[in-house]
Amino acid sequence: MTEHNRGETAAHSPTWPTSVAVIGAAGLIGAGVVERLAMETITDTVYMTDLRDNVLHAHAIDITEAQILGGNTRTRLVVGPPADGSPVDLVIVAASAPETPDGDRRDFLRANLKLLQLLLPDIENLAGEHGAVMLLSNPVDVLAEALRQLSGISPDRIVGYSLNDSIRFRAAVGRELGVSPERIAGLVLGEHGDGQVPLFSGLTLDGKAVDLGTAERVRIITDITGWFSRWSALKPGRSSGWTTPLGVAQVVKAMATGEIHPATIWTGSVESLPDSFISLPTRFEQGRMVSALGPVSETEKEGLTQAATSVEAAAAQALQDFRSAI
Ligand SMILES: NC(=O)c1ccc[n+]([C@@H]2O[C@H](COP(=O)([O-])OP(=O)(O)OC[C@H]3O[C@@H](n4cnc5c(N)ncnc54)[C@H](O)[C@@H]3O)[C@@H](O)[C@H]2O)c1
């Protein structure tokens, strides 16, 4: 374990999360998340782990120097897990098999499920009895459901990052209406990817409800569901390394303050939905993710049920394939 920065903590009032572990912290997303947590002083200590130890150290040095430039060195970066084996408040999993844009989504799921299984003891030890676990690795909802089934971690302490879908929805609505996306508020729930459910019923422009016609809705849905193939066609060899760390920082801050935000959570507390993981409006309350789903239209409700069913089936199939392969 190497420690970077012995930051001053005296002026800091102890608030959740005091410690965060990022698994996969040498990767694009993992390192970006560490950078945001440190630069915005969202936590006191970040533990960084990855297979690529040299890259991990390089990121730790680089981010520590960026903190000096930013004038705030309070967050301490530690390469490696807590030396005394103590748990952390939040475990962020960004470890992943290399992305293959041309690959089959199932291959990717298979590889990341295998990785999740490999990392399970570390995740459980780091989370301890009370820590929350945030998954970033894709397919995030299916892996969250698999983690629920594989681990002893209570399902309401598992959360998947899904904010990007809502950002892309706001961008698409802005394009359709010819207005700046900052003026749009709107959420995407359901499954990350094709099973996403844009909440047209809650869409606002400058805080006022917007009622879009069928043709406008169809164009917006085509826009957001086409995002991944447009990105893959670029063959960039990278994921969304700017948006995602910024979004993760926002989500962690929302969790800390109990603010409602979209995230992939367990549907167990939502009566009408199958037992699974999908994106819902959510709040972090007393260490647990709880649904804050308000009224939605019948079509949206149907979409959420379909998404939960699809994630449940994909996780069951992947776990079955995985078990029969070992
Ligand atoms: N949920 C979302 O909205 C969202 C957004 C962007 C990216 N992602 C996902 O996040 C994941 C990471 O993306 P990335 O661009 O950072 O990938 P990346 O390839 O840059 O990083 C992955 C990291 O995982 C590490 N790793 C692999 N096996 C490991 C192990 N056994 N232990 C520890 N570390 C290990 C690798 O060394 C690498 O540093 C991908 O699955 C990607 O699809 C999700």
Side-chain angles (χ1 to χ4, degrees):
M1 186 186 80
T2 309
E3 213 172 281
H4 295 259
N5 263 352
R6 289 198 149 270
E8 303 286 327
T9 53
H12 177 50
S13 60
T15 51
W16 187 94
T18 58
S19 53
V20 178
V22 179
I23 304 178
L28 179 68
I29 301 298
V33 167
V34 175
E35 189 266 352
R36 279 294 90 205
L37 295 173
M39 295 305 280
E40 297 189 39
T41 324
I42 293 170
T43 186
D44 293 338
T45 308
V46 183
Y47 297 95
M48 307 164 64
T49 70
D50 199 288
L51 285 179
R52 299 181 297 154
D53 206 44
N54 58 333
V55 183
L56 208 51
H57 277 279
H59 277 301
I61 292 167
D62 193 8
I63 296 168
T64 302
E65 290 172 358
Q67 283 178 284
I68 298 168
L69 199 58
N72 190 349
T73 59
R74 210 181 67 210
T75 298
R76 198 169 61 110
L77 302 187
V78 177
V79 173
D84 60 359
S86 57
V88 296
D89 286 344
L90 176 65
V91 183
I92 297 181
V93 183
S96 180
E99 287 225 26
T100 48
D102 297 329
D104 183 86
R105 188 170 177 268
R106 276 188 168 216
D107 290 342
F108 197 40
L109 167 59
R110 204 170 300 135
N112 275 350
L113 181 59
K114 200 170 162 194
L115 183 55
L116 188 69
Q117 174 83 42
L118 184 78
L119 292 170
L120 196 54
D122 292 345
I123 296 172
E124 287 182 322
N125 287 339
L126 284 165
E129 293 293 309
H130 304 290
V133 178
M134 183 188 289
L135 290 183
L136 299 180
S137 316
N138 272 320
V140 69
D141 21 40
V142 182
L143 290 180
E145 171 61 11
L147 183 62
R148 172 175 86 91
Q149 295 192 34
L150 292 170
S151 76
I153 300 165
S154 59
D156 50 10
R157 290 196 285 130
I158 300 172
V159 56
Y161 173 80
S162 60
L163 183 62
N164 292 1
D165 291 330
S166 295
I167 300 165
R168 289 161 196 161
F169 181 42
R170 291 170 58 199
V173 173
R175 275 192 286 277
E176 179 65 32
L177 299 181
V179 302
S180 157
E182 289 103 295
R183 297 172 58 196
I184 311 280
L187 292 181
V188 168
L189 308 181
E191 189 176 357
H192 183 49
D194 288 350
Q196 55 187 288
V197 181
L199 278 203
F200 284 106
S201 62
L203 199 59
T204 62
L205 169 64
D206 296 333
K208 294 191 188 86
V210 191
D211 193 14
L212 297 175
T214 308
E216 288 166 311
R217 289 180 188 214
V218 168
R219 278 195 295 271
I220 290 165
I221 290 170
T222 307
D223 189 336
I224 57 177
T225 51
W227 187 92
F228 190 68
S229 57
R230 293 197 299 277
W231 178 277
S232 299
L234 295 171
K235 299 192 189 301
R238 74 189 288 279
S239 63
S240 47
W242 298 109
T243 316
T244 307
L246 193 59
V248 170
Q250 282 192 10
V251 166
V252 176
K253 286 188 283 185
M255 287 171 74
T257 56
E259 203 183 302
I260 294 176
H261 62 281
T264 297
I265 62 159
W266 183 47
T267 54
S269 65
V270 188
E271 220 171 80
S272 52
L273 291 177
D275 218 8
S276 182
F277 269 79
I278 57 168
S279 183
L280 291 172
T282 182
R283 202 176 27 235
F284 190 57
E285 232 174 54
Q286 296 175 336
R288 319 245 154 213
M289 301 302 301
V290 294
S291 162
L293 182 66
V296 292
S297 73
E298 274 310 307
T299 319
E300 290 162 350
K301 206 162 148 190
E302 230 169 78
L304 294 180
T305 304
Q306 265 174 28
T309 308
S310 147
V311 170
E312 186 189 25
Q317 183 65 55
L319 284 167
Q320 190 186 321
D321 292 351
F322 180 72
R323 284 178 183 129
S324 53
I326 48 177

